[in-house]
Amino acid sequence: DFGSSLVTAHAIIRNSEELRTGKGSRAIFKLLNGAKIEMAERSTVSVSRDWSGTSVQVERGHVIVQTADKGQKPFMVTAGDVRIPVRNATFSLNRGIKGSRVAVVSGSARVETPEKTFEVEAGEQRATDYRLVNASLNSEFAWSQNADQYLSLLKEFSTLQKQIQNIPSPQLRYSSDLAKYLPANTVVYAAIPNVGGTLTEAKRLFDERLAESDVLRE
C-alpha cells in the first residue's frame, strides 16, 4: 500500500506483501514451516497466511519449491487457477502467459486445475496447457543455486528410467491351463502376462543403482 522498497537479506516478509525480482536478480525466502521458495529473475510472488494455512501465490515467473521434511505442515502453491498442495516434494513451477509448467525433482506433486487433477512424479513434467511445449527438465532447474544437486538427481532418474524400459516385457499369453477348469456358463475369461519377473528385475536395478549413487541415497 505504500509503494515499493528494496528487501535486504534476513528481512521478514509480512502477510500478503509482494516480492519481485528484477532482471539478473534472484531470491530465496523461507516459510515459517521451514520450506524454501527460490525465485528466478523477473518473478513476482506473494505469501498469505490465514485460518486455512499458508498459501504462496506465483503471479508470474519461475520458482522452485523445496519442502523442509516429511513431517512439516502442508501448504498451498498457486499460479492463477492452478493449485498444488505441497507435502513432501521439490518441484519447479514456471508460470507464463499461456499457462504453467510443473517439473518435479523429488517426491511428487498433485496439480489441481478447473479441468482436471493430475500427479507429477519425480523426473517428470506436465504443462497445464497443450500449447506449452515441454522444455528440457534440466533447464527448469539449471538456474537454481542448488542446480548441481538437482541436475545430478535428474540424471539418476533418467538412467534408471532407461534401464527399466530395457527390461524385456513378459510374452503375451494366448492360452491357459486353467481355462478347462472354468464353469460351463463362463462368458468372459481374461489372462494377463505374469509381471513378477519384470518387477523383480526392476527392483534389482534400483537397488544396484542406489548402492552406487550418493545422490540417489540422499
Side-chain angles (χ1 to χ4, degrees):
D1 295 336
F2 301 100
S4 300
S5 61
L6 185 66
V7 178
T8 59
H10 307 298
I12 295 176
I13 309 302
R14 303 188 184 282
N15 202 32
S16 298
E17 287 184 335
E18 196 173 70
L19 271 179
R20 296 179 182 174
T21 51
K23 180 181 179 181
S25 74
R26 295 181 302 180
I28 298 176
F29 63 93
K30 183 186 290 185
L31 302 179
L32 290 176
N33 62 9
K36 292 182 180 179
I37 315 294
E38 185 173 5
M39 300 171 59
E41 64 177 356
R42 293 176 171 169
S43 298
T44 302
V45 176
S46 62
V47 181
S48 61
R49 182 177 174 86
D50 56 23
W51 63 270
S52 62
T54 300
S55 179
V56 178
Q57 295 86 34
V58 181
E59 304 298 335
R60 68 172 182 177
H62 198 166
V63 302
I64 294 175
V65 180
Q66 183 178 15
T67 52
D69 56 62
K70 294 180 180 179
Q72 74 170 33
K73 189 176 180 180
F75 62 98
M76 189 71 66
V77 174
T78 65
D81 54 6
V82 175
R83 292 163 43 93
I84 305 175
V86 184
R87 291 177 175 81
N88 179 33
T90 298
F91 64 91
S92 156
L93 174 58
N94 193 349
R95 183 182 183 186
I97 298 174
K98 294 181 179 179
S100 300
R101 180 184 292 111
V102 179
V104 180
V105 74
S106 69
S108 63
R110 188 176 85 245
V111 182
E112 302 172 354
T113 72
E115 295 79 22
K116 58 185 176 180
T117 297
F118 51 87
E119 294 283 339
V120 186
E121 304 291 341
E124 297 178 348
Q125 64 171 312
R126 290 282 296 273
T128 60
D129 192 295
Y130 71 92
R131 294 171 295 178
L132 283 174
V133 178
N134 277 350
S136 160
L137 263 176
N138 286 358
S139 68
E140 296 298 284
F141 297 92
W143 58 270
S144 168
Q145 173 179 282
N146 301 316
D148 289 346
Q149 174 190 346
Y150 296 148
L151 297 184
S152 296
L153 193 53
L154 287 172
K155 183 179 179 181
E156 292 294 338
F157 285 138
S158 177
T159 300
L160 266 173
Q161 187 178 37
K162 290 175 182 176
Q163 288 179 331
I164 290 174
Q165 285 176 342
N166 287 332
I167 299 174
S169 299
Q171 297 299 308
L172 293 176
R173 296 173 61 183
Y174 298 98
S175 62
S176 171
D177 293 338
L178 298 177
K180 60 186 177 184
Y181 297 108
L182 294 173
N185 61 350
T186 299
V187 177
V188 176
Y189 173 80
I192 63 172
N194 189 340
V195 296
T198 305
L199 294 175
T200 300
E201 179 62 10
K203 183 169 189 308
R204 186 192 68 79
L205 289 172
F206 179 79
D207 290 340
E208 186 178 89
R209 195 72 192 168
L210 194 64
E212 298 173 355
S213 170
D214 294 335
V215 175
L216 202 57
R217 279 200 304 276
E218 183 182 351

